[in-house]
Amino acid sequence: MLHTSKQASLKKYNTFGIEAVAENLIEVSNNQNVKEAMRVSEELGVSPLILGGGSNVLFTKQSYPLVIINKLIGIEKQKEDEHFVWIKSGAGVVWHDLVLHCIDQSWGGVENLSLIPGTVGAAPMQNIGAYGVEIKEVFESLEAINKSTLQEKVFSNQECRFGYRESIFKKEVKGEYFITSVTLKLTKKHKLNISYGAISKVLNSQAIETPTIKQVSEAVIQIRESKLPNPTKIGNAGSFFKNPVISNDQFLELKNEYPNMPSYDQPNGKVKVPAGWLIEQCGWKGFREGDIGVHKNQALVLVNYGNGTGADIKNLAFRIKDSVKEKFNIEITPEVNII
Ligand code: FAD
Ligand code: EPU
């Protein structure tokens, strides 16, 4: 039996807190439900919008014909050996709950990804990353259902074609699959990654020399809470844009003009530049117009103070993008899914 409702408000289903209506809203809690929901979408002749935590979407329409909310829960240990443990999680599990579960069992690999909002199923969509780690480093495989054929398919790590905030699900097979579960390969003997400056700073300030995975997780949580606005207080979807990657030649030219420009060398010889810095230099940090704006502490985060609309935020995003292009000749592209 499907859990459905009509003319449902989507405000609580997106962390931007944008008002929009789902003409039909279905909550699915197992694979059978997912297939039934796909049949409903076929009967209605519409393409469904799949939502997890709604923490990486910007609604720009007033209504959506069919929204499917992913509630596939359950975490199970699949197998283990001396060094590793394989954990399979339902796609509707809250990502941070999975992280806490792993830390409780002392399974390592996801501690740097603590407190990222959203669900497990959406995590591979954009290869979530933070503090020097991306999910691809611990990702074993995922299971998904093809929305048209209803066939179930397993995608290996390689098949997901992960990149920086990218995967096959945002490109070649965009919109074709419903991800139902994710399996991670976690460590029993940990190799902690505390290379990210802010993490070692927090640990040093607490005089922790040999941290546990729990202490690394707590340091990450402390940094995140100090930097990023809490969506339950101010509507936002984290970084609105990706950090652009530019050629070394362009970087050297810009560095000459802006000696303080931060940068991160990439393995392919290119250079990543923080979009937050570029946007701040264009004067947008703390900008507010009515109920929408740019966060005062993190220029990469666009915010909704209450009754902002998706169309207004999209419009602001494009004004920001144009100004960065004009000042630095750098294209910044949205990370958030504008729908
Ligand atoms: P949703 O927003 O619900 O969906 C995102 C996209 O995936 C949509 O296109 C949706 O249709 C699709 N989708 C969702 N579930 C499925 C599924 N089961 N099958 C198929 N398609 C699906 N991201 C990072 O990488 N690093 C960060 O540090 C980070 N920090 C953040 C901080 C804040 C305060 C916020 C609000 C967001 C942050 N994000 C970050 C972005 C966000 O947390 C991630 O993108 C997260 O994975 C989104 O999960 P979700 O369940 O909310 O996805
Ligand atoms: N910066 C500024 N001004 C700002 C914001 C940032 O100058 O207003 C500079 C900082 O001084 C720093 C640099 O930009 O030198 C990087 O800033 P920060 O460490 O805050 O990280 P970020 O590049 O803005 C990225 C991810 C985040 C992730 C953090 C930590 C992207 C698009 N964003 O942000 O992910 O949590 O690093 O690893 O890669 C998300 O994807 O939604 C997200 C929040």
Side-chain angles (χ1 to χ4, degrees):
M1 199 37 197
L2 283 181
H3 187 282
T4 55
S5 45
K6 291 201 179 283
Q7 302 301 324
S9 165
L10 289 172
K11 200 174 169 84
K12 69 168 186 187
Y13 292 105
N14 73 106
T15 60
F16 254 127
I18 301 289
E19 188 57 273
V21 168
E23 288 165 33
N24 298 277
L25 183 125
I26 305 182
E27 277 188 21
V28 292
S29 48
N30 55 46
N31 283 16
Q32 197 50 38
N33 281 175
V34 174
K35 291 180 187 177
E36 283 171 44
M38 293 312 157
R39 285 192 199 102
V40 172
S41 93
E42 208 184 334
E43 277 161 25
L44 293 171
V46 296
S47 177
L49 165 62
I50 301 168
L51 277 188
S55 62
N56 208 24
V57 288
L58 177 66
F59 296 143
T60 53
K61 296 183 192 144
Q62 279 175 350
S63 76
Y64 296 85
L66 174 60
V67 176
I68 302 179
I69 309 285
N70 175 11
K71 297 277 179 191
L72 277 73
I73 53 168
I75 301 174
E76 64 180 82
K77 180 160 70 175
Q78 283 214 304
K79 60 175 181 175
E80 63 185 309
D81 64 18
E82 197 190 336
H83 300 283
F84 299 104
V85 53
W86 283 258
I87 301 302
K88 180 175 172 178
S89 167
V93 169
V94 170
W95 171 260
H96 186 59
D97 288 350
L98 176 63
V99 170
L100 291 178
H101 178 78
C102 296
I103 289 167
D104 272 355
Q105 309 290 325
S106 200
W107 299 328
V110 286
E111 55 281 356
N112 293 44
L113 304 177
S114 295
L115 212 62
I116 296 182
T119 52
V120 170
M125 291 286 301
Q126 70 157 9
N127 179 25
I128 56 166
Y131 302 100
V133 172
E134 292 178 328
I135 192 179
K136 74 168 186 195
E137 288 156 51
V138 291
F139 179 95
E140 177 76 9
S141 63
L142 65 77
E143 293 175 323
I145 295 177
N146 185 297
K147 284 156 110 181
S148 333
T149 64
L150 304 188
Q151 298 268 335
E152 296 181 21
K153 180 174 161 52
V154 176
F155 287 83
S156 66
N157 187 315
Q158 215 183 356
E159 283 170 321
C160 289
R161 306 215 191 139
F162 291 124
Y164 165 59
R165 296 295 192 273
E166 280 301 346
S167 77
I168 192 171
F169 301 100
K170 285 184 84 177
K171 288 184 162 163
E172 293 89 339
V173 298
K174 188 173 174 177
E176 288 179 28
Y177 285 90
F178 188 116
I179 296 167
T180 53
S181 76
V182 173
T183 300
L184 303 179
K185 180 182 171 187
L186 301 165
T187 57
K188 288 182 171 177
K189 298 179 180 166
H190 311 311
K191 233 178 26 195
L192 294 174
N193 181 343
I194 52 168
S195 58
Y196 205 94
I199 300 184
S200 40
K201 225 171 163 180
V202 170
L203 294 170
N204 283 340
S205 75
Q206 296 166 349
I208 297 170
E209 276 173 22
T210 45
T212 61
I213 53 171
K214 188 155 193 273
Q215 286 168 327
V216 173
S217 165
E218 284 166 355
V220 167
I221 290 172
Q222 188 179 325
I223 299 161
R224 293 185 70 93
E225 284 179 337
S226 72
K227 279 194 167 184
L228 290 162
N230 180 342
T232 61
K233 301 207 170 98
I234 306 176
N236 76 90
S239 303
F240 196 91
F241 297 96
K242 295 194 235 180
N243 287 328
V245 178
I246 61 175
S247 71
N248 197 41
D249 285 351
Q250 186 180 11
F251 169 71
L252 292 176
E253 240 174 70
L254 285 169
K255 188 79 181 167
N256 205 15
E257 204 175 333
Y258 305 99
N260 297 330
M261 182 166 85
S263 63
Y264 315 102
D265 291 339
Q266 300 298 290
N268 60 4
K270 294 189 170 189
V271 182
K272 192 186 266 183
V273 181
W277 185 87
L278 299 169
I279 296 168
E280 181 175 349
Q281 296 302 306
C282 291
W284 290 106
K285 198 168 181 170
F287 172 87
R288 180 167 180 171
E289 195 170 69
D291 259 4
I292 63 162
V294 178
H295 194 255
K296 62 178 184 354
N297 300 332
Q298 208 339 333
L300 196 46
V301 178
L302 303 194
V303 292
N304 173 17
Y305 290 101
N307 294 314
T309 68
D312 287 345
I313 292 175
K314 182 179 171 188
N315 186 276
L316 172 61
F318 280 84
R319 281 158 69 196
I320 292 171
K321 181 179 162 72
D322 287 349
S323 68
V324 169
K325 172 77 181 163
E326 199 179 305
K327 188 170 170 75
F328 297 102
N329 194 25
I330 292 179
E331 290 279 354
I332 52 172
T333 54
E335 179 202 288
V336 170
N337 298 280
I338 301 173
I339 48 183

